[in-house]
Amino acid sequence: MPGQFEPLPGGGAAVALDDVEISIIRSLAVQLLELIGPGPGGDASGDPLAELFAEGPSEPPADPVLRRLFPDAYSDPEKAPDSPAQAEERRAHSAEFRRFTENDLRAGKRENALAVIRSLDALAPVDAAGAVLKLSPEESRRWLGTLNDLRLAIGSRLEITHDEDTELLYGLPDEDPRKPMVMAYLWLGGLQETLVSTLMS
């Protein structure tokens, strides 16, 4: 049965998870970390001051999932530019914005995913009834960020770009190789929705 976040007295959220659900979320968070990659210094032994002023990439990532996680700031796929000059200006603005923001965005997504993994690893041993994960307000926000990133990543792999695409996936036959990914996408969506509701209550 899908987990559902509920509010905790004094703030934060709680959800009951079984060992399979814990394993799935942890595995997906680890994969997200691997996809995002290390920081600009490559590891924790790098110079923090140098990393603070390190410039990020100016070009969009080649991987479509990373392009979804780190989209161009000035691109509008629904609107064609009026002229080649306007398109070039938009690319230049996007490159400049990406160069000075992508490293920080990646660091934030890494920290969120690590917080998810650590909170799962800190859970008491799971029994037949599962375990109850209790999150502080700050941990809840980090979880919300990672759940959103995971759904964006899976949605990109499933080529979901509009709500109508999601509707089509409901009817996939069980033998379709995309079915497990679709089930994870829908389940994470339910978790994300209840966590949003909890934080807004």
Side-chain angles (χ1 to χ4, degrees), residues 3 15-19 21-22 25 120 126 130-133 143 187 191:
V15 63
L17 299 170
D18 63 30
D19 56 347
E21 292 168 335
I22 292 168
I25 296 173
L120 292 173
V126 181
V132 176
L133 174 71
W143 263 76
W187 173 58
L191 281 176

Side-chain angles (χ1 to χ4, degrees), residues 53-83:
F53 294 102
E55 290 188 3
S58 58
E59 294 297 320
D63 189 308
V65 174
L66 288 175
R67 282 202 304 272
R68 189 84 170 266
L69 292 173
F70 305 101
D72 273 336
Y74 295 91
S75 68
D76 185 356
E78 304 296 326
K79 179 183 175 184
D82 296 331
S83 67

Side-chain angles (χ1 to χ4, degrees), residues 2-57:
Q4 179 171 319
F5 278 99
E6 296 180 359
L8 286 174
V15 63
L17 299 170
D18 63 30
D19 56 347
V20 174
E21 292 168 335
I22 292 168
S23 176
I24 290 171
I25 296 173
R26 193 186 188 287
S27 174
L28 290 173
V30 168
Q31 290 177 54
L32 180 65
L33 276 175
E34 292 171 350
L35 182 66
I36 293 170
D43 56 43
S45 64
D47 180 357
L49 192 60
E51 289 186 14
L52 180 64
F53 294 102
E55 290 188 3

